Amino acid sequence: MATLYAKWNTGDNSQGEIYGATWWAQGFAVTTAHKITAVKLKLYRVNSPGTITVSITDVNGKPTGSDLASGTYDGNIITTATGGEWYTIGLGDGTDLSVATYAIVVRAPDGTVSQYLNWRLQADGNPYTGGNPSQSTNSGSSWSAGGANDAMFEDWGIPSTLVVTTEAATQIAQTTATGNGTIVNTGTSAVTEHGHCWATTINPTTADSKTTNGAGSAGVFTSSITGLLASTKYFVRAYATNTQGTSYGQNIS
């Protein structure tokens, strides 16, 4: 189930027009790392602006770099009531957001000066302190400050976690074996350590015997497990550590 993270969703008393090369963006602060999967925006239309595209980008005062995630919506079915309505725009597979500031960028490339989208704003001197609005009139090539306006938005997503799996050990000898594992998802920060841990009891942790393979990225990995006792049953788990903590794969024996 999706969770609401960042938001600015009350007090709208104005709007920003979006069409053709004229884009609007709203910066927002992430205080809890997560994967953003959708945004809700308060919108209305004038005539038929066509398909709208909503994306998430990094921000350095203003939107920076390429889209991290994006989604589209049929702008021609949005309400024409000037007070606007809330619409959910999915962002595909989403993207992991760390504790930082990002931007929601909205455009209606097929719109015109008479066929445009309006994003509802609060024009009261930037009451939202988590980020700044900005506007581009050249399809995002450059951005200028969006004035004393904050756009209505909600950031919806799911927790972003570090996921590791354990595969069956191979090359098992009397005192050695090869541990196999996969970092499925690195979560919201780089993996600083990964490997395998083992013990004669179930659910070994990094406080037990372990290999230390250093930093890692998503994908398969192996570990050289040594110092085992012959004719002894061991439980082994793959592990990986980042700023979110340590995650473990399932037990194999």
Side-chain angles (χ1 to χ4, degrees), residues 153-172:
F153 78 92
E154 293 181 354
D155 154 22
W156 288 83
I158 57 177
S160 184
T161 57
L162 175 60
V163 179
V164 186
T165 61
T166 313
E167 279 74 52
T170 55
Q171 296 180 307
I172 299 171

Side-chain angles (χ1 to χ4, degrees), residues 8-10 12 41-42 86 119-120 122 150-153:
W8 191 251
N9 55 9
T10 60
D12 53 304
L41 307 177
K42 197 172 187 182
W86 285 95
W119 192 356
R120 292 290 292 171
Q122 183 174 3
D150 283 306
M152 299 290 104
F153 78 92

Side-chain angles (χ1 to χ4, degrees), residues 167-184:
E167 279 74 52
T170 55
Q171 296 180 307
I172 299 171
Q174 289 194 56
T175 60
T176 62
T178 296
N180 298 286
T182 303
I183 299 174
V184 178

Side-chain angles (χ1 to χ4, degrees), residues 23-25 62-64 105-106 134-136 138-145:
W23 300 2
W24 268 89
K62 300 180 181 70
T64 303
V105 179
V106 182
S134 51
Q135 185 182 42
S136 174
N138 54 12
S139 300
S141 294
S142 62
W143 293 88
S144 58

Side-chain angles (χ1 to χ4, degrees), residues 166-181 196 221-226 228 236 252-253:
T166 313
E167 279 74 52
T170 55
Q171 296 180 307
I172 299 171
Q174 289 194 56
T175 60
T176 62
T178 296
N180 298 286
H196 286 78
F221 65 92
T222 62
S223 298
S224 179
I225 298 172
T226 61
L228 305 176
V236 180
I252 63 101
S253 63

Side-chain angles (χ1 to χ4, degrees), residues 19 21 39 46 51 53 68 70 78 81 89 105 115 123 126 132 138-139 143 153 169 206 222 229 233 235:
Y19 59 89
V39 293
V46 173
T51 300
T53 299
L68 303 175
S70 65
I78 288 173
I89 296 94
V105 179
Q115 314 266 341
N126 302 123
N132 298 312
N138 54 12
S139 300
W143 293 88
F153 78 92
T206 54
T222 62
L229 297 175
K233 182 177 183 177
F235 295 91

